[in-house]
Amino acid sequence: MKIFRFLLVLPLLAAEVLAADPAVSGLMLPEKALPQLDAILQSAVQQSPIMLNRALDLEIAENNRIQARAGLLPSVGGYANYIESRDTRADLAGRLDVTKVAYNFSITQPLYHWGERRNSAKISEIQADIVKGQYKDGYRALAQTLRNDYMRLIVQKLTVKRGAAYVEHTKNQLAKEEVRLAQKVISEFQIFAVRLAAEQAQLIYDRGQFDFEMAKVSFARLSGRPVMSDDAIPDLIPAVGYEAGTFDRLLAGFLDQKELPAIEAVTMRKQMQSAGLGLANQKTRLRPKFNAVLGMSQDEQSYTINIAQKYRVNSIFAGFSANWTIFDGFAAQAAVRNDLARLRQMQNDYKGLTERVAQQAQTQVKLVNFAARNMAITDRALGASEGSLKTKQEDFRRGISSEDDISAARITVYDAQINACNGRSEFLYRTGDFLGTIVEDPVLANVTDKK
């Protein structure tokens, strides 16, 4: 009957899984709007200096796991001595040439340690799992930074273009005013402001160009790739769509889960599990520990009153050994109480953490909504400025407007493009932030098969 019920529920579970994927895949992220970014995010797993260090963290965690597991396996050891000596004995005349060979080889297998060795191995496995989770979350944080920096490069490229256009505009204005000054139409005082504006425009352009070059270098260092050329950077962030219902459904599904899958929550749950095993180990400190022993040895032994008269003894042995700390000055009891107190602290912290993560996810959805509204406004402003530029160009062809009017309108379009790209960038960044909190960011697929 239980199997039959499970078969009835299985299609519903599959339907939920299939329904969840399109909800996330339908959201617009920077690498979807800017396909060039996707290759950068994929290569960053292997090339970014940050990820190279995190890969070493994985290696360290795996080696720690192997070391802890060694406590469950048998240990083999021993010694061997070969000695040539010349002995002088009082009971015998002359000197004796003596060869001594002694050895001892044994195998010790932990037999019963009240689960201490097994718990220690489990703790190391938990720590390795935590590091794996931190590796993935570290990559997600890196990907989010690269997304933001890449979109900022686009805005900076636009800013440089706008600066160049404004420099040209101020130069043209200054040239005309210089002619008027030469014709005594205006005074030196009146042209001072025009000259100052031209110098400021050039300074702003030079500073913007420098900042743009430094940003490209920083992005290359962070991503582990060569510095990109200007042509490799898109001219604009394309317009993106927005559907509030998708974010609300993802948020509701996240909050409905009994145990939040956020990386911080998962890590703390594993840490509490590890702390519980450590507490169990502390409780075994005053209990006897048993091992099985098997080995062979060779040595010398005296069987008479004359202890100098020795005979070789070969031995093959097997048996059990026990180690028991009976009293340690109440240190074990204090250690147990400390570990229990730390575990309770972690449980209290976990409750606060889950509340904070839930509130963070709700706040991020609000921020996504605000960013979407701002994006819609800046997009409309861009459309209006582009329409105004077309009108000025048509008026110029009819002789109604001047080249200065077209130049000013073009600068206005650059300003609108910068504002629109900033609005789109903020929306895409907020979307990635929210998906990262609910552990639904598709970029994690780049490290699914990693260590």
Side-chain angles (χ1 to χ4, degrees), residues 10-29:
L10 185 60
L12 298 177
L13 296 175
E16 291 182 2
V17 173
L18 293 176
D21 289 340
V24 176
S25 60
L27 295 179
M28 184 59 68
L29 287 167

Side-chain angles (χ1 to χ4, degrees), residues 237-304:
I237 299 175
V240 298
Y242 167 69
E243 183 183 352
T246 302
F247 290 92
D248 294 336
R249 288 192 295 272
L250 288 172
L251 176 61
F254 176 72
L255 297 178
D256 285 343
Q257 299 180 70
K258 183 178 180 180
E259 293 184 339
L260 297 182
I263 183 62
E264 291 178 273
V266 173
T267 298
M268 184 160 285
R269 287 198 296 270
K270 291 179 178 179
Q271 288 174 341
M272 287 191 295
Q273 183 183 359
S274 177
L277 294 172
L279 175 61
N281 281 352
Q282 293 289 3
K283 293 179 179 179
T284 68
R285 287 177 55 170
L286 296 182
R287 297 177 182 177
K289 312 296 171 48
F290 301 94
N291 301 315
V293 182
L294 173 67
M296 59 186 300
S297 66
Q298 177 176 299
D299 206 344
E300 294 181 342
Q301 181 68 44
S302 175
Y303 295 101
T304 65

Side-chain angles (χ1 to χ4, degrees), residues 119-130:
N119 290 343
S120 297
K122 184 62 177 177
I123 289 172
S124 67
E125 292 178 2
I126 293 172
Q127 294 300 323
D129 288 340
I130 290 174

Side-chain angles (χ1 to χ4, degrees), residues 80-208:
N81 294 326
Y82 177 83
I83 300 174
E84 293 282 352
S85 65
R86 178 169 294 179
D87 297 346
T88 301
R89 292 173 49 174
D91 60 334
L92 296 175
R95 294 181 178 180
L96 300 176
D97 293 330
V98 179
T99 300
K100 297 180 181 179
V101 178
Y103 61 83
N104 185 302
F105 297 101
S106 63
I107 300 175
T108 303
Q109 170 64 53
L111 197 61
Y112 190 72
H113 286 236
W114 307 93
E116 177 192 2
R117 300 293 181 91
R118 184 176 62 253
N119 290 343
S120 297
K122 184 62 177 177
I123 289 172
S124 67
E125 292 178 2
I126 293 172
Q127 294 300 323
D129 288 340
I130 290 174
V131 174
K132 290 178 183 178
Q134 291 172 340
Y135 175 82
K136 288 186 177 182
D137 189 62
Y139 171 70
R140 187 203 63 79
L142 172 65
Q144 188 69 349
T145 302
L146 290 175
R147 287 166 170 168
N148 187 54
D149 289 354
Y150 188 77
M151 291 186 291
R152 191 168 63 214
L153 284 176
I154 297 174
V155 174
Q156 288 179 298
K157 181 179 178 180
L158 266 175
T159 302
V160 170
K161 287 184 177 180
R162 191 266 185 201
Y166 188 64
V167 166
E168 186 66 24
H169 177 75
T170 54
K171 284 182 178 179
N172 292 335
Q173 293 292 322
L174 179 60
K176 293 178 181 179
E177 295 302 312
E178 292 286 0
V179 172
R180 295 181 65 192
L181 177 65
Q183 295 172 350
K184 306 296 183 179
V185 177
I186 61 174
S187 66
E188 287 285 347
F189 176 77
Q190 291 173 310
I191 202 174
F192 174 77
V194 182
R195 289 172 176 170
L196 187 62
E199 291 179 9
Q200 288 178 331
Q202 185 64 50
L203 174 62
I204 292 172
Y205 169 75
D206 292 341
R207 182 61 183 269

